[in-house]
Amino acid sequence: MSRSLVQQLGDIAAAWGEADPADRTEVYRQLGLRLTYHSQQQKVRVQAQPVADFHGNG
C-alpha cells in the first residue's frame, strides 16, 4: 500500500470519528449494518445484511 493511500484512509477514519452520530447511523442503515455492543465482554458484534440496490445491477 502506498503511503498516500494509508494517509487518506487515516483522514477518512478521523473524519468518521468526528461525524455526527445520526449521520453514521444513516450510513450503517444504508449499508445494512447492525452493530451491537456487549459491555460485559467489551466486544462489538457486527452484522451485515446488504439490501439489493434497485438503482444498480444485482
Side-chain angles (χ1 to χ4, degrees):
M1 227 183 257
S2 73
R3 183 177 183 163
S4 65
L5 178 58
V6 171
Q7 288 173 333
Q8 289 174 358
L9 291 174
D11 291 344
I12 292 169
W16 187 253
E18 296 172 6
D20 181 86
D23 292 337
R24 288 194 307 246
T25 298
E26 179 60 18
V27 171
Y28 294 152
R29 186 193 68 73
Q30 289 180 17
L31 292 173
L33 294 179
R34 169 171 269 176
L35 296 115
T36 305
Y37 180 65
H38 298 278
S39 59
Q40 291 181 338
Q41 297 96 4
Q42 295 184 338
K43 294 182 180 181
V44 176
R45 180 179 181 197
V46 179
Q47 295 173 284
Q49 298 177 334
V51 178
D53 181 4
F54 61 90
H55 294 290
N57 296 325

